[in-house]
Structure formats: C-alpha cells, structure tokens
Amino acid sequence: MLQNIQGIGMTSMRTRERMVERLEQQGIKNHKILDVMRTTPRHLFVDEALASRAYEDTALPIGYNQTISQPYIVAKMTELLLEAGPLSKVLEIGTGCGYQTAILGQLVDHVYTVERIQPLQKKAKNLVWSLQIKNISYLYSDGGWGWVDHAPYDGIMVTAAPPEIPEMLLRQMAPGGVMLIPIGRAGGQELQRVRHTEAGFEVEVLEPVSFVPFLSGKQ
Ligand code: SAH
C-alpha cells in the first residue's frame, strides 16, 4: 500500500515537472509561479477517475457543469496579474475546485474568493486548507457583486466569462489595481486586463480564451 502511494507520488512529481517544462516552452517566465505549480498537487483537485490526466494541458470537468482551467491559462493569468509586482489583497471570482485559489494563495498575502455553487466551494475550502494554505477567505455568493466588505483589492481574477465587465468589480479595484477577466460568449471570448489608473480604467485585450459562462444568482 505504502509502495503504491509512493508510486503515485513519484509519477505525479515527474508529470508535474513535465507540466512546468511545457509551461516554460509556452512562454511562462515567472519562476515563483512555476515553482508553486511544480509543488501544488493538481491531481487532488480533479475527480480520482481523471487524476492521471490532471497535468495535461487541458480543462477537465469538476462536476456541476464546471471545469478546472488548463494549467497554461492558470499560469498565464497569474503571470499577467502579478506582472507589475507582488500583490497584497486579491479577489477571485469563481473558486471552482480551488486550484487557482491555491496557486494565488501561495503568491499573495490574502485571497478572497467567491463562488455561486456552494458544494463546489466547500470541497475546495477543505482541500486548500488540507494543503496548509490558510490565507484564504471564502464567500458563497454571486460574484457579480464582488465582496464589498474587504474592498478595495489590488488584484481581481475572474475565472468565468461575463458578456461585459461587471461594474461592481471595477468599483472594488484599488487605485493602481489590476483585473484579469475573460469577456464574451462561448466560442468568442477574449482575455482582458483592466488597470485602474489616475486617468480611469484602461482595458487591454489579450488572447482568445474559453471559459464557462459567468452566471448570475446563487445555485
Ligand atoms: N478557478 C477555477 C475555475 C472554475 S470554473 C478552478 O481553477 O477550478 C469557473 C467557476 O466560476 C465555476 O465554479 C462557476 O460556478 C463559477 N462562477 C460562474 N459565475 C459566477 C458568479 N457570478 N459568481 C461566482 N462564481 C461564479
């Protein structure tokens, strides 16, 4: 049994290392991000039946019609979010299985994460805590409202795609803050980076992406 567990551990270490090499080939340069993705056990965030595919560069189902984002997108969005330097308070919309939450938690001071499907968030919370990542606050709510109590945020990361940027999220950005958000409908989404500057909100259109839709209300 022990041998079995160690066997699985070895395999996932090797496959994780390969995933990180692939991320570097895909242009990810931030070593802190590559390091946390190397040490975070992504296979624990997907169903056991899919664990062997956890390190492939693909999105996978996590139940409730939702998906865990592909490793490249997690790395890229995190890199773009942190490009101007370290962040203290980050708001994440769409906890999902908690993988992106766990990555962010190891790179910033505190993560506030909002999810509209309660059982998904409960599972994520237990798993992330069990990995000793404890600088996270969880809220079961429609993320379209943000999380006013802790605003403003230096960084906002949205992991589901609304048709346009929710105004409440713009209002919760600190001056100098940055937001990464996929915008658009299935088949035609683009990643956008918004900066809150003295001149107002500057929007940069980045690459085409494919996220689950941003839905209103709680499920
Ligand atoms: N970052 C997640 C991605 C999960 S998929 C991960 O790594 O697993 C996107 C998540 O956004 C889903 O769990 C979905 O339920 C959630 N979501 C969609 N619209 C939302 C909203 N308005 N408020 C909060 N969460 C939302």
Side-chain angles (χ1 to χ4, degrees):
M1 184 61 189
L2 188 61
Q3 233 171 2
N4 244 342
I5 292 170
Q6 281 169 346
I8 291 166
M10 286 298 288
T11 309
S12 57
M13 275 303 283
R14 274 200 299 272
T15 46
R16 242 181 276 167
E17 192 54 54
R18 274 200 294 272
M19 176 187 80
V20 167
E21 282 165 16
R22 205 173 48 226
L23 290 172
E24 284 182 293
Q25 285 160 11
Q26 288 169 306
I28 305 297
K29 294 192 175 61
N30 185 318
H31 280 281
K32 282 190 183 159
I33 296 173
L34 293 168
D35 283 347
V36 299
M37 289 188 69
R38 182 181 288 114
T39 53
T40 305
R42 184 172 158 93
H43 60 284
L44 300 181
F45 290 84
V46 300
D47 280 351
E48 233 169 300
L50 293 168
S52 64
R53 301 191 56 199
Y55 299 97
E56 291 176 16
D57 199 23
T58 179
L60 292 169
I62 53 170
Y64 304 90
N65 264 332
Q66 306 304 321
T67 53
I68 180 173
S69 303
Q70 67 183 105
Y72 169 73
I73 282 294
V74 172
K76 186 70 187 175
M77 285 179 76
T78 310
E79 188 168 68
L80 289 162
L81 190 77
L82 298 175
E83 202 166 66
L87 297 179
S88 173
K89 273 167 74 176
V90 171
L91 173 68
E92 179 192 41
I93 308 296
T95 316
C97 68
Y99 180 70
Q100 174 81 73
T101 318
I103 299 297
L104 284 172
Q106 295 172 82
L107 295 163
V108 307
D109 292 340
H110 201 96
V111 180
Y112 297 87
T113 185
V114 183
E115 170 59 56
R116 64 181 289 282
I117 303 177
Q118 196 167 31
L120 260 184
Q121 193 178 49
K122 275 200 175 141
K123 208 171 147 193
K125 185 176 179 177
N126 290 336
L127 177 54
V128 174
W129 182 268
S130 76
L131 296 174
Q132 305 295 318
I133 301 167
K134 298 179 176 176
N135 55 341
I136 319 282
S137 304
Y138 297 84
L139 178 70
Y140 166 50
S141 172
D142 175 354
W145 302 105
W147 191 345
V148 180
D149 302 5
H150 302 284
Y153 303 95
D154 319 309
I156 300 183
M157 168 89 89
V158 184
T159 65
E164 54 191 39
I165 304 171
E167 199 194 320
M168 283 301 283
L169 297 185
L170 291 173
R171 287 202 205 163
Q172 291 173 37
M173 286 175 80
V178 55
M179 168 156 58
L180 264 294
I181 182 166
I183 295 291
R185 301 191 188 284
Q189 298 170 8
E190 58 190 27
L191 185 60
Q192 297 190 359
R193 177 162 58 181
V194 186
R195 284 200 182 83
H196 187 185
T197 69
E198 275 171 24
F201 294 101
E202 280 174 9
V203 179
E204 201 183 333
V205 174
L206 304 158
E207 52 200 90
V209 285
S210 178
F211 277 84
V212 295
F214 188 99
L215 301 173
S216 56
K218 291 194 271 187
Q219 182 170 313

